[in-house]
Amino acid sequence: MENKIELKGFLMKILNGTAMGIVVGLIPNAILGEIFKALAPQAQIFQTIHTILLASQAATPLLVGIFIGYQFKLQPIETGLVGVATMIGSGLLVSTDGALIATGIGDLINTMITAAMAVYLLSLIRGKLGSLTMILSPVIVVLIVGTLSTLLLPYVKQITTAIGAIIQNFTDLQPLLMSILLSISFALIIVSPISTVAIAYAVGLEGLASGAANLGIASAAMTLVVGAMYVNKIGVPLSVFLGSMKMFMPNWLRYPIMNIPLIANAIVTGVVAYLFNIQGTTASAGFGFSGLVGPINALSFMEGSVAKNILILALVFFVIPFVSAYLIDKVCTKVLKLYDRDIFIYGQEK
């Protein structure tokens, strides 16, 4: 990367690097996390594997920084420094009784801001430290970017708090309207830099509110799967299906028209959540069907035949959102001609 950073494309490189880091960091635990969590009490090896999967998830901010460095074609040392800086700035590590405890994946917005600061600072000092580059650049980047991002973190977190306050108001509405609004909200949040899990805990979603939020996420997943399957290789829609909806964050920000199918499908699943009384807990809200967290928790609230309930959950979490997404896609692209499916091409740079 040259010393001067061109503003054109800078944001897209940050977003694309973030999307790649999220996919690599979250997919292992999204696929296998719940399985080995359930098996953990049976044998130590399962507990060990579950810990490994959580470690992979916790590495997400570091991976985001590394992939952003790759987007900017940084040198190996510079790429590593961006990774370290983003890990610090994410707020992932919390000091408790003298020990650093990893909590979730940190704040994604601050992670991206930190990476942007690190990239910019590296462009300023590149070629100016001479033979001391290897010694001074880590100190400068970690000290300056790490400190600034840490001081900035509490203020950036207020964005999540503000969104949570708005969503809190939805829970006081009539159940059907609440379900629809929560479904729409979480369908959009899951594609944004905001954490759905953080919002769920900030609001304390439970019962029908939790179920509606999860079905909203499921609707977003299926909307992106349908849109992506026409213009990408199979790995892209498969990654979305497995839980990496945020990989389409760059597309979502670039093409606001994408909100139309996302909202339309979320309305459908909001109604479905109400009709089938799909419920959940605060801990399960924000996952959708990733790792089967949403369906498994919803099953625990259902009465009657387990087999029948599993069929209902398969219908509401998978079949209805997919069929609805497919029909909405046809209407938007073929009938109304609102957009071209090229907006779902993953990894666009221009």
Side-chain angles (χ1 to χ4, degrees):
M1 185 181 72
E2 299 178 357
N3 281 9
K4 290 186 178 180
I5 295 178
E6 295 183 5
L7 292 179
K8 183 180 179 180
F10 183 84
L11 177 60
M12 293 312 300
K13 288 180 179 179
I14 295 292
L15 292 172
N16 285 331
T18 301
M20 294 171 68
I22 289 171
V23 172
V24 176
L26 297 185
I27 280 292
N29 192 51
I31 298 174
L32 301 172
E34 287 300 306
I35 296 174
F36 284 99
K37 180 180 179 181
L39 293 173
Q42 307 303 318
Q44 180 60 43
I45 183 61
F46 297 138
Q47 176 62 56
T48 300
I49 294 175
H50 184 237
T51 301
I52 291 171
L53 294 171
L54 290 176
S56 172
Q57 177 175 285
T60 299
L62 176 66
L63 291 169
V64 166
I66 290 173
F67 279 113
I68 287 175
Y70 172 80
Q71 289 285 315
F72 284 96
K73 297 180 172 58
L74 301 182
Q75 297 298 316
I77 291 178
E78 295 174 327
T79 300
L81 288 175
V82 176
V84 171
T86 54
M87 183 179 67
I88 295 171
S90 69
L92 165 75
L93 300 175
V94 178
S95 179
T96 304
D97 296 328
L100 290 176
I101 307 297
T103 56
I105 62 171
D107 187 285
L108 192 56
I109 297 178
N110 212 53
T111 297
M112 293 188 291
I113 292 174
T114 304
M117 289 193 297
V119 169
Y120 182 68
L121 179 58
L122 285 167
S123 74
L124 294 179
I125 66 175
R126 185 174 297 109
K128 298 179 181 179
L129 302 178
S131 60
L132 296 177
T133 296
M134 185 174 292
I135 297 174
L136 294 182
S137 57
V139 175
I140 293 173
V141 172
V142 170
L143 183 63
I144 295 179
V145 178
T147 301
L148 287 177
S149 61
T150 300
L151 293 175
L152 189 62
L153 181 61
Y155 300 99
V156 174
K157 282 186 174 181
Q158 290 181 11
I159 297 174
T160 300
T161 303
I163 294 175
I166 295 173
I167 291 178
Q168 178 70 57
N169 293 328
F170 296 162
T171 61
D172 297 326
L173 300 174
Q174 186 271 342
L176 176 58
L177 183 58
M178 176 196 73
S179 296
I180 293 173
L181 291 176
L182 283 176
S183 182
I184 292 173
S185 298
F186 276 74
L188 299 180
I189 292 171
I190 193 62
V191 195
S192 78
I194 308 296
S195 168
T196 53
V197 176
I199 293 293
Y201 272 102
V203 178
L205 293 182
E206 57 184 14
L208 177 60
S210 174
N214 274 328
L215 282 183
I217 295 170
S219 76
M222 290 307 187
T223 299
L224 295 175
V225 165
V226 170
M229 70 184 187
Y230 292 104
V231 291
N232 297 278
K233 293 182 179 179
I234 187 61
V236 174
L238 182 60
S239 294
V240 173
F241 181 80
L242 293 174
S244 295
M245 283 73 79
K246 288 190 186 297
M247 65 189 290
F248 273 95
M249 180 170 50
N251 302 62
W252 179 71
L253 291 171
R254 177 182 289 172
Y255 304 110
I257 193 70
M258 191 181 289
N259 286 307
I260 291 180
L262 285 169
I263 291 173
N265 203 20
I267 292 174
V268 173
T269 54
V271 174
V272 168
Y274 171 76
L275 293 177
F276 286 89
N277 192 30
I278 301 302
Q279 300 189 50
T281 63
T282 301
S284 69
F287 286 92
F289 54 65
S290 297
L292 297 179
V293 174
I296 289 174
N297 278 269
L299 181 63
S300 66
F301 287 92
M302 301 174 76
E303 299 178 352
S305 168
V306 173
K308 176 185 175 181
N309 291 337
I310 290 176
L311 288 176
I312 291 174
L313 291 174
L315 181 70
V316 300
F317 271 94
F318 299 99
V319 179
I320 292 177
F322 180 82
V323 173
S324 175
Y326 180 82
L327 295 175
I328 290 169
D329 173 80
K330 291 295 184 183
V331 171
C332 289
T333 59
K334 301 301 182 182
V335 180
L336 301 178
K337 300 185 185 300
L338 294 177
Y339 54 82
D340 189 271
R341 288 196 180 108
D342 286 351
I343 68 173
F344 291 100
I345 295 176
Y346 172 67
Q348 301 180 57
E349 295 185 0
K350 294 183 180 181

